[in-house]
Amino acid sequence: MNKLMKLFTSLLGLMIMVNIHLSTVTAQGEYSVSDELIHDEYPEESFKYEIIQQDVNDFLEGVAEYHNLEVADFEHSSIPELTMERYSFENESYILSVAQVENSIAYGYTRSEGFVYYDVQNVVKENGLEVSTEDDLSFATREEITQEIDTLIHSLGIELDYSIELQSITANEMSILLKEYFNVEGGDEEISQTATDLYMASVKFFIEDIPINDFAMGDYEAGIVAEDTVFQLTFSENGLENSDLRGYNKVGERLNQINLNAEEIISLIENKYENIIILNDTKLSSLELVYLHLLGSKTSEESDIYIPVWLGVIEQEVDGVTYPTYIFIDAETKKELTLH
């Protein structure tokens, strides 16, 4: 009897363990699509566009003129293996650079005190922090700052359509950010010397009303990168503190037309998540068409072309925290781009 009881107890324990294991393995989150996406309006056609080789010397002339310099004031360097040309100027007040890598142009300007303001803008952007957005600051109105950005873009010879998102941040808000996100030596006294009213601007570019991708993703070593094209600037009472333009390309001839069907893309993404085990609630929270410039050894045929791509944002809820995942689907081939 004791042997039978022990055997029964062992079998019961084994069944409980198996049941717990199966429950753990088969437990899945639910996949859903944001209601807004189902009723949203999407473009029905787009085109590929040729990327024109930008003359870095023409771009450099515009930069020099805006900053009251001569082209001859810039020091030139070259990295042939990266197909990179770089021009730089530095004095006790600021650092200025123009670089060309393959077809893309980058431009950067930073005053000696401006590095921290660039970091503050990125902290606000990356963490989705709320700062004042509609207020005029004491040293300039929002309209005056917008006009200055327009002047700079015109001086650089940029021909793309664009929109400007302008945020104003007060010295008090700046002090809070410096305390919470930066290790500023010297305590409150050091912070009070650094904190200032600030305008933070982000310029987004468009081709035929469709935005150009504005964040980098991928891996050069893996052979494919989605280039970002965005222009970030900050202004204080001293004027322009820093500006950072990455991945600017001139747009050329319109190439073949591509018919679009957003519902088909939403279904493709849904099918993908139906065929994999997801452990947490997962939602397709946004979907938009963007223009993408691909770089790397695996993208030779697309390296001189802007291609339309569906960009989906997948959000997963884990322990009350939402984590985004980005999915790129070629609008022409309907194939997902693997950027890793």
Side-chain angles (χ1 to χ4, degrees), residues 272 326-330 333-338:
K272 172 182 177 177
Y326 301 94
I327 180 170
F328 291 92
I329 298 178
D330 189 313
T333 66
K334 313 295 193 304
K335 301 295 184 182
E336 183 178 351
L337 299 173
T338 305

Side-chain angles (χ1 to χ4, degrees), residues 202-237:
S202 180
V203 181
K204 194 165 188 174
F205 297 101
F206 298 82
I207 302 174
E208 299 287 340
D209 297 326
I210 296 174
I212 297 174
N213 180 54
D214 64 355
F215 65 94
M217 190 173 181
D219 187 349
Y220 277 103
E221 292 185 0
I224 182 168
V225 171
E227 185 179 42
D228 58 332
T229 301
V230 68
F231 199 2
Q232 290 189 184
L233 311 94
T234 57
F235 295 84
S236 74
E237 61 184 3

Side-chain angles (χ1 to χ4, degrees), residues 14-163:
L14 180 61
M15 290 173 65
I16 293 172
M17 290 178 64
V18 168
N19 184 58
I20 292 173
H21 178 70
L22 288 175
S23 298
T24 303
V25 171
T26 58
Q28 294 188 35
E30 292 186 357
Y31 173 84
S32 62
V33 177
S34 174
D35 291 337
E36 291 79 4
L37 301 190
I38 298 174
H39 304 291
D40 209 347
E41 293 185 3
Y42 298 94
E44 296 181 355
E45 66 176 25
S46 62
F47 300 83
K48 287 186 176 181
Y49 282 87
E50 176 189 14
I51 291 175
I52 298 177
Q53 179 72 36
Q54 173 81 25
D55 188 332
V56 67
N57 293 306
D58 289 345
F59 190 88
L60 182 62
E61 286 181 7
V63 172
E65 182 177 355
Y66 179 82
H67 291 282
N68 297 314
L69 295 170
E70 300 291 335
V71 171
D73 295 330
F74 288 78
E75 180 180 342
H76 173 252
S77 58
S78 179
I79 306 177
E81 56 269 26
L82 296 179
T83 322
M84 178 177 176
E85 303 293 328
R86 186 172 186 272
Y87 300 83
S88 58
F89 175 85
E90 182 175 354
N91 60 20
E92 66 279 359
S93 300
Y94 62 86
I95 298 172
L96 180 61
S97 67
V98 171
Q100 181 176 38
V101 181
E102 297 183 357
N103 291 322
S104 302
I105 295 286
Y107 151 73
Y109 168 87
T110 307
R111 279 181 11 97
S112 299
E113 298 84 1
F115 288 102
V116 67
Y117 305 131
Y118 176 79
D119 291 338
V120 165
Q121 183 176 16
N122 284 324
V123 163
V124 170
K125 182 179 179 181
E126 291 168 5
N127 292 277
L129 304 179
E130 292 187 6
V131 297
S132 304
T133 57
E134 301 298 331
D135 300 334
D136 284 341
L137 299 175
S138 58
F139 62 87
T141 66
R142 294 168 60 86
E143 183 179 355
E144 288 170 335
I145 296 298
T146 299
Q147 289 175 349
E148 185 60 29
I149 296 171
D150 289 334
T151 299
L152 174 54
I153 290 175
H154 179 74
S155 298
L156 298 179
I158 295 176
E159 300 172 350
L160 295 169
D161 294 331
Y162 61 90
S163 64

Side-chain angles (χ1 to χ4, degrees), residues 120 123-124 127 129-131 172-184 188 191:
V120 165
V123 163
V124 170
N127 292 277
L129 304 179
E130 292 187 6
V131 297
N172 182 56
E173 290 172 319
M174 180 80 153
S175 296
I176 295 172
L177 287 174
L178 292 173
K179 289 178 181 178
E180 292 186 359
Y181 290 91
F182 298 87
N183 296 319
V184 179
D188 292 341
I191 289 175

